[in-house]
Structure formats: structure tokens, C-alpha cells
Amino acid sequence: MMKKQLLLLIVLACAFVTSVKAEFQLERPKLVVGIVVDQMRWDYLYRYYNQFGEGGLKRLINDGYNFENMHYNYVPTVTAAGHASVFSGTTPAFHGIAGNNYYLNGKKVYCCGDTTVQTVGSKSKAGQMSPRNMMVTNMCDQLRLATDFRSRVIGVSIKDRAAILPAGHSANGAFWFDKSAGCFITSTYYMQDLPQWLKDFNKKNKKDLNQDIAPLPIGVTLTTRIAIAALDGEQLGKNPTGDTDMLTVSYSSTDYVGHSFGTRGEKTDEIYLTLDRELKVLFDALDQRVGRGNYLLFLTADHAGCHNAKFMNDHKMPGGVWKQSAKKKELNALYAQKYGITNIISDFFQNQVHLNRAAIEAKNLDFCAVRREIAAKLAEDSLLMYAVPFEEVGSSSLPPAIRDRVIMGYCPGRSGDIQVITRSGYMDYSYEQGTTHVAWNPYDTHVPFIIMGWHVNHGFTNRPVAINDIAPTVCAMLKIQMPTGCTGNAIYGD
């Protein structure tokens, strides 16, 4: 009997020890780094792979977990919408950043424009910017909330929108380049004076900053420099409370080069090989200052880009130019004769038609009927696949792959009245050189997404994932609530 009791006690003791060992322990990295490369196509990872060095993009591919089939799941695929979507875990339908520009209360606005704030760091109006037009929180906001705002969040980029939207509403700071002043600035939304580290940075790099850095390799280099300066100046990853900090970095020069020179050629090669070298510099700095394994890092893009039409035609593949301005002029002339309205189409951009609602109603015309008529007229164009009034997209004959992207990109009151879908490879850009992005096609939607570092095992998957899955994935890894408008799902560790 005594032996049985002793055996039972031993079993219970072992069970207790096992349960103690299995007890959950909350762990978080010291730092999260979110990198966005503007206009980076997914296939650039492999087009340049053999030319990459060992510590930059190759390190990401060989050490990180690679989601090879990451796509944007909405249109229009443009910079502001992309940055907002990556960090908010949702799409323009919910976060409200319907494009780089869009209409708000009948007035065309810039996505981050805010006249209630002033520039800090220069005398220009380039700092009249804030994230107020974004209607939801993002992962940075959620991190701040989870730590009672002890976590520090900083965003940097050449482009204002690429610094502001990733850093979120409650960021400690967002900094971008003021071309007119030749320095990095911010706005009174964040602070009343530049931090000393940024003043020192502007002074130290004055010679390089005194030019249009955006389309040059030096733009990539300076983005890395300011990221490291912020890392040091804000002591990111060394939070005295032990809480996780976050740094968002967006490389914009790649987009300027793509627009000017396209997806092929020496300039494009140069900018991506420069990016690779600069990422090594950034990764090495993170290793030294925060420590390998102590930071979680991800890299993605805000959209991709179409091959230039001439390049495609030269190789016997479809593509061409379809000018929205020309179609606007043609239809305005037609309906000026029919209805006596000078500009029935008030604007046409991002493949969206904005109708002159006030003028249509002033003529006592049925707005919905006129909209349907104009959409039908647009659909007669042989270079268009579809033209559909937004409010009729759900019941239209659009294929699901396109229909769902239009719905997820449509924000009432901010998007246009009619969505047009061009034939594959047709874009509103120069035929001879350069490229753009806005479409639903894989050339604009397929982007890299690789995570590396803290608690990440090397691997890859080809299963389909969407851009709004990034934020909930990071939030799940950090054990924090997903953003308020999140429509994606965690995709790592499931």
C-alpha cells in the first residue's frame, strides 16, 4: 500500500513539473522592422539573385521565411494604398486611403494632406501632412496600445506618405524628405522641433541632400542612413521598459526609377543592386545594435509594376497605351453635345471615372442612368475589358478575380463612380520608356513578403496569401490585438 502511495505521489509530482514547464511565457522581440520597397516586383528576388551579395536580399531569402505567392487583393495598386494596407491589415474599402489622391466631400485631396498642421524642419509646406485621413489603426498603433504607449515607433522614407502611413496615428515620429529645402522634416502632428539626431543627420549629409535624391541610388543610401540614425537617436530596440519598439523604412527611389526607366535596363539594375548593398548595411547595423535573433524584420512592396509596352511589343507580347485623359476629352465632347454639360467627367485617374454629379443633377438628369450610360459607352472601347459603375460591381458579370479586387478597393465617398479594367499590359503611360502601376494583374499585384529574425525558421510557401495578411501575422507573433479594420489572417506558424 505504501509503495502504491509513493508511486502516486511521484506521478503527481512529475505531472506538476510538466505543467509548470508548459506554462506560457510572454515573449516579444526588442524591435520590429517593417521594410517596404516601392514598386518592387516579386520576380526581382530571382532576376538579380546571382548578382546579390551575401548579406542583403540573399540573407533574407536564405535565412527568412518566404511567402512566394503574396498578392494585393484590391485595385488601385498605388503607393499610399499599399503602405496603408500592409500595416493596417485591410484594404482601401476599410482604411479609406483610396489612392495617392482621391475625392473627399467633393474636393480632390492628397492622402496625407493636413492644413491644420505645420512643417517642422523647413519653411516650406511639405510638412503639412498627417495620418488623419486613414480611418483605422495599424500594427504600430496596436503595439503602442498593447504596451500602454511605452513602445516607441518611428517611420522614415523619402516620400511623406511612405513614412506617415506605416508609422500610424500614434507614432512618436515620422520623417520624410523635403526636396525644396534639401533636408528631412516632419510636422507639428508629431512634434514642435526636430530631434537633435535628425538635425545632426541633416547637417552631416547636407551635400548629398542638396539635390533631387529621389530617382538616384543615393536616395537608397540616404534612406538607410536615416534609418540607422533613427535607430541610434531614438535608441530603438533598447527600450528602458523592455517593451518592443518599431521602425518602419520605405525605400522610394526604386519607384522613381521604375517610372522613368521601366522594369529593365541599367538604371533599374543599378537601383536594385544598390538596394541589396544598403540592406546589408542596415541588417549589419541591426545585428550590432539590437542583436541577431532579437529583432523581427519583414520586407514587402507597396505594389509591383508593368513591363513597358514597347518592350513587350518588341518581344511579340501584348501591351500598349490607353490614355485616360484622351478618353475623358472624347466623352466630354460627346456628352456636351447630348446633354449640354461641359465637363460631365470631372476627373479620370487610377482607372476610375469621377462624374460631375452637381452638373448632372442641375440638368434634372437621373444620375444613376447617366452613369450607366457612360459606363456602357466606355465598354465599347476595344482596349477595355470592362467598365462598371461601382455600386453595380457586386451584381455585374465581372469575373470574381477582378470583381472582388474592385470591391475591396472601393471606399464610398472617396473612390470614383465607374471602374474601368484595361486589357492586359495596357497602361496610361509612355509607350517608349518607363512604367506605371494601378491594375489587378499579377504584374502589379505580385510582391515579395519575407520575414526574418526573432522566432522565424527558414522556409517558404507557395500557397496564396494576401497583402492584408501581413499585419495580423506580425500582431499574432507579438501577441497583440490586430488593427481595428483588419480583414486578413495570420499566416506564419499556422
Side-chain angles (χ1 to χ4, degrees), residues 145-158:
L145 282 164
T147 62
D148 290 330
F149 301 94
R150 294 186 299 271
S151 292
R152 298 168 298 193
V153 172
I154 298 292
V156 297
S157 180
I158 289 174

Side-chain angles (χ1 to χ4, degrees), residues 5 45 48-49 83 87 93 122 133 145 174 219 244 271 356 393 428:
Q5 289 176 335
L45 290 175
Y48 297 112
Y49 184 83
H83 282 82
F87 287 85
S122 79
N133 287 335
L145 282 164
T244 302
I271 205 73
N356 190 338
V393 168
D428 188 1

Side-chain angles (χ1 to χ4, degrees), residues 207-353:
K207 183 179 179 181
D208 288 334
L209 291 169
N210 193 28
Q211 59 184 312
D212 183 7
I213 64 173
L216 303 173
I218 190 65
V220 176
T221 300
L222 285 165
T223 302
T224 300
R225 288 182 193 171
I226 192 173
I228 295 173
L231 186 70
D232 291 339
E234 301 290 340
Q235 289 291 285
L236 299 177
K238 299 177 181 179
N239 198 316
T241 66
D243 291 291
T244 302
D245 295 326
M246 188 154 186
L247 173 65
T248 72
V249 184
S250 183
Y251 288 94
S252 303
S253 298
T254 45
D255 182 67
Y256 290 100
V257 168
H259 280 298
S260 297
F261 302 102
T263 61
R264 293 288 188 272
E266 293 180 3
K267 296 291 187 181
T268 305
D269 297 347
E270 181 185 23
I271 205 73
Y272 278 95
L273 295 179
T274 301
L275 173 69
D276 177 56
R277 291 191 295 271
E278 289 301 321
L279 285 176
K280 181 185 186 303
V281 173
L282 179 59
F283 297 165
D284 287 347
L286 290 166
D287 290 345
Q288 294 164 9
R289 290 156 171 81
V290 186
R292 272 199 184 219
N294 290 329
Y295 60 89
L296 173 65
L297 180 145
F298 69 84
L299 180 143
T300 189
D302 57 344
H303 51 73
C306 184
H307 291 310
N308 173 263
K310 185 178 185 302
F311 169 81
M312 293 293 279
N313 293 168
D314 286 346
H315 295 277
K316 302 179 181 179
M317 287 182 272
V321 174
W322 189 81
K323 289 288 186 180
Q324 296 170 98
S325 58
K327 183 56 66 172
K328 174 187 174 183
K329 184 178 180 180
E330 174 191 327
L331 291 179
N332 276 340
L334 174 66
Y335 286 100
Q337 287 187 332
K338 182 171 183 178
Y339 292 128
I341 300 173
T342 304
N343 291 303
I344 200 165
I345 295 177
S346 59
D347 214 339
F348 199 161
F349 65 103
Q350 296 177 168
N351 283 356
Q352 296 179 5
V353 176

Side-chain angles (χ1 to χ4, degrees), residues 158-197:
I158 289 174
K159 291 183 180 179
D160 48 54
R161 56 189 180 270
I164 292 168
L165 296 172
H169 296 276
S170 64
N172 300 87
F175 307 100
W176 55 94
F177 183 62
D178 182 349
K179 178 182 173 181
S180 66
C183 62
F184 277 82
I185 62 170
T186 188
S187 86
T188 53
Y189 178 87
Y190 303 100
M191 58 193 70
Q192 298 301 312
D193 191 18
L194 291 183
Q196 188 59 47
W197 66 262

Side-chain angles (χ1 to χ4, degrees), residues 382-396:
S382 63
L383 299 183
L384 291 184
M385 292 177 65
Y386 304 99
V388 184
F390 271 111
E391 293 179 4
E392 298 177 16
V393 168
S395 59
S396 72

Side-chain angles (χ1 to χ4, degrees), residues 394-470:
S395 59
S396 72
S397 60
L398 284 175
I402 299 176
R403 181 195 63 211
D404 294 348
R405 283 174 166 82
V406 173
I407 291 172
M408 293 300 279
Y410 173 63
C411 183
R414 297 191 178 193
S415 297
D417 297 299
I418 300 169
Q419 176 74 53
V420 302
I421 305 295
T422 62
R423 283 170 48 184
S424 174
Y426 281 80
M427 57 183 181
D428 188 1
Y429 216 70
S430 166
Y431 177 75
E432 296 290 333
Q433 184 170 280
T435 189
T436 192
H437 46 84
V438 70
W440 69 272
N441 309 73
Y443 49 72
D444 281 350
T445 65
H446 193 185
V447 296
F449 175 46
I450 309 176
I451 54 176
M452 180 183 77
W454 181 83
H455 288 194
V456 175
N457 297 316
H458 172 62
F460 75 95
T461 179
N462 280 310
R463 70 184 178 91
V465 290
I467 205 69
N468 54 327
D469 293 329
I470 293 177

Side-chain angles (χ1 to χ4, degrees), residues 346-388:
S346 59
D347 214 339
F348 199 161
F349 65 103
Q350 296 177 168
N351 283 356
Q352 296 179 5
V353 176
H354 294 258
L355 298 179
N356 190 338
R357 184 181 292 263
I360 293 170
E361 292 176 351
K363 290 287 186 177
N364 293 318
L365 298 171
D366 183 326
F367 177 79
C368 291
V370 171
R371 179 175 58 186
R372 195 173 296 118
E373 179 185 350
I374 293 175
K377 191 66 181 177
L378 279 162
E380 293 176 4
D381 191 315
S382 63
L383 299 183
L384 291 184
M385 292 177 65
Y386 304 99
V388 184

